[in-house]
Amino acid sequence: MGDTVCNGTHSKTLLLSDPEAFDAKFEELVTELTDRNLQDPGLAYALNRLREILIYNVPGGKKNRGLSVIGSLRELLPPSQLTQDTLQQALMVGWCIEMLQAFFLMADDIMDASVTRRGQPCWYKRDGIGLDAINDSFLVESSIYRLLRKQCRDQPYYVHLLELFNETTFQTELGQALDLMTAPPDQIDLNRFTMERYKTIVKYKTAFYSFYLPVASAMYMAGITSDEEHNNAKHILLEMGEFFQIQDDFLDCYGDPAVTGKIGTDIQDNKCSWLVVKALEVMTTEQKSVLEACYGRKDESSVAKVKELYNALQMPTLYHTYEEESYQRLQKLIAQHAQSLPHSVFLNFARKIYKRNK
């Protein structure tokens, strides 16, 4: 069937590409979550709110995480086993990952006092929303488990997916806690910003849910349950996740907001970013004094001085060197750990993230 999937929502069989089928699936899932689930008419107002929350917060990203489920499954199963039901469930699980991402970002934006996300105002910044967005994010998270129960309950991989989503959520929240504790607002302590601490934050806050979760979901759906196989995949995917976050940190400072869809605030927010950690490794005592005076400050002058410091330290050059080294390291990890898994599962993911600009 190549990279097409039948859209089961139409009586006529239409062949769609995976991204098209993925987009079409979203409306079906939103309808299932908001129109068919609860019989109490008194909840109509709340369910309309849930529909608005999902439509505003879930589908606006690049969807790499969600699409990686069906993409990985195509590499792991022969075409004869890719039934319509299997493909539709892969699309659904992909959207569950996008919902998990939306849940994290809605809460993260409140904690960081962010202004924009994906080219539009953060959900909590919309008129009449404010801190109600905390409960709205809980609704998005709960929706994941409603979908998994309704659509996967009879599948042999159902419990594996429940445990995987639960564990990944816990890991991500631990990473977020470490990130918040490492860089509390208005408490500038650059001694906390070590590469070891940074890599731990990245591993737990980003790499597990962004890279391991989509591929591990596809592996369980394909019947691959052994700890050894999952640990092999994890070695490769956590390396990829580390690079992705370092790239994100670089784009926060050097990316074009018109392209990235968000205005970078890592310097103002006193974030333990790769740029500041790497800069601390190579700067002079005098430069560190400038950084201590300006990092984590909200005024434009302080932010500009930190950026000048980064440029003087040639941070873009250091970053591009790191990017090349990371890609070479990834190739070695794939050769070493993916002996019984298709290399294409990992290479397809890598192609989407290396050299990206948003």
Side-chain angles (χ1 to χ4, degrees):
M1 193 188 282
D3 65 347
T4 58
V5 61
C6 294
N7 181 356
T9 59
H10 294 284
S11 53
K12 242 176 162 180
T13 301
L14 293 172
L15 288 178
L16 301 174
S17 68
D18 284 351
E20 290 168 338
F22 192 62
D23 287 343
K25 188 72 176 176
F26 181 66
E27 182 56 41
E28 178 191 326
L29 296 176
V30 170
T31 300
E32 183 166 329
L33 285 164
T34 58
D35 290 359
R36 304 177 193 161
N37 279 318
L38 300 169
Q39 303 305 314
D40 188 341
L43 285 172
Y45 188 60
L47 289 171
N48 284 339
R49 165 72 164 236
L50 174 58
R51 181 181 183 82
E52 187 185 353
I53 294 163
L54 292 169
I55 289 169
Y56 191 89
N57 291 286
V58 178
K62 296 179 285 295
K63 308 185 188 99
N64 283 342
R65 294 169 184 83
L67 281 165
S68 292
V69 178
I70 192 168
S72 299
L73 201 59
R74 287 193 183 282
E75 304 295 341
L76 294 168
L77 287 178
S80 60
Q81 291 182 38
L82 288 167
T83 64
Q84 277 314 303
D85 282 349
T86 301
L87 291 169
Q88 290 298 320
Q89 286 187 321
L91 295 173
M92 181 275 298
V93 172
W95 276 116
C96 286
I97 294 173
E98 293 293 326
M99 286 181 193
L100 188 67
Q101 155 92 334
F103 157 60
F104 291 145
L105 296 183
M106 289 168 73
D108 194 56
D109 286 342
I110 299 169
M111 288 179 258
D112 289 348
S114 298
V115 178
T116 58
R117 169 72 66 183
R118 295 169 171 173
Q120 60 185 9
C122 297
W123 176 250
Y124 84 100
K125 280 287 189 185
R126 295 194 67 197
D127 287 346
I129 304 293
L131 294 183
D132 291 0
I134 297 169
N135 191 66
D136 292 342
S137 74
F138 297 162
L139 284 170
V140 175
E141 187 196 22
S142 300
S143 296
I144 296 165
Y145 297 98
R146 292 184 65 78
L147 286 176
L148 289 174
R149 189 178 76 245
K150 284 180 74 71
Q151 301 210 9
C152 294
R153 199 177 198 171
D154 299 329
Q155 298 296 331
Y157 51 77
Y158 175 55
V159 173
H160 286 299
L161 289 186
L162 285 184
E163 291 179 346
L164 179 64
F165 272 83
N166 265 306
E167 182 65 11
T168 303
T169 301
F170 180 61
Q171 288 165 324
T172 307
E173 289 164 353
L174 281 177
Q176 174 73 347
L178 196 57
D179 191 21
L180 293 168
M181 290 186 290
T182 301
D186 307 319
Q187 290 182 38
I188 316 301
D189 181 1
L190 298 180
N191 294 322
R192 292 174 177 156
F193 292 174
T194 65
M195 192 59 79
E196 182 185 10
R197 172 65 66 92
Y198 174 78
K199 288 189 173 189
T200 305
I201 292 170
V202 168
K203 177 180 175 181
Y204 285 92
K205 185 181 174 181
T206 300
F208 275 109
Y209 95 88
S210 296
F211 290 84
Y212 178 62
L213 176 60
V215 176
S217 296
M219 288 170 69
Y220 283 128
M221 294 178 81
I224 301 168
T225 60
S226 83
D227 289 344
E228 184 184 2
E229 295 281 35
H230 278 266
N231 285 332
N232 281 335
K234 207 177 287 182
H235 275 294
I236 299 163
L237 294 160
L238 293 183
E239 167 69 30
M240 226 182 279
E242 181 181 293
F243 169 72
F244 178 85
Q245 185 58 52
I246 290 171
Q247 189 180 47
D248 217 49
D249 291 352
F250 178 77
L251 291 173
D252 184 271
C253 182
Y254 287 99
D256 178 357
V259 177
T260 63
K262 60 185 177 182
I263 299 161
T265 59
D266 283 358
I267 294 170
Q268 298 94 308
D269 294 341
N270 188 34
K271 282 288 173 162
C272 183
S273 152
W274 182 81
L275 288 170
V276 71
V277 172
K278 193 67 184 172
L280 283 163
E281 289 184 348
V282 297
M283 66 177 46
T284 64
T285 308
E286 291 79 11
Q287 288 171 322
K288 187 175 179 182
S289 298
V290 174
L291 189 66
E292 284 173 332
C294 298
Y295 201 74
R297 306 287 190 273
K298 304 291 184 190
D299 61 286
E300 287 181 22
S301 169
S302 293
V303 174
K305 282 178 186 168
V306 174
K307 289 185 176 180
E308 283 170 23
L309 196 56
Y310 285 168
N311 289 333
L313 293 166
Q314 298 187 302
M315 295 310 294
T317 303
L318 289 174
Y319 166 75
H320 291 302
T321 301
Y322 167 83
E323 180 175 40
E324 188 53 42
E325 288 171 353
S326 174
Y327 194 73
Q328 297 305 323
R329 200 158 50 242
L330 184 67
Q331 301 295 326
K332 287 178 186 169
L333 283 170
I334 291 172
Q336 183 182 346
H337 291 286
Q339 288 160 2
S340 55
L341 291 167
H343 289 196
S344 51
V345 169
F346 307 104
L347 293 172
N348 288 345
F349 226 145
R351 275 194 287 272
K352 288 174 185 170
I353 63 164
Y354 283 84
K355 309 290 186 186
R356 73 188 171 106
N357 62 358
K358 66 175 182 177

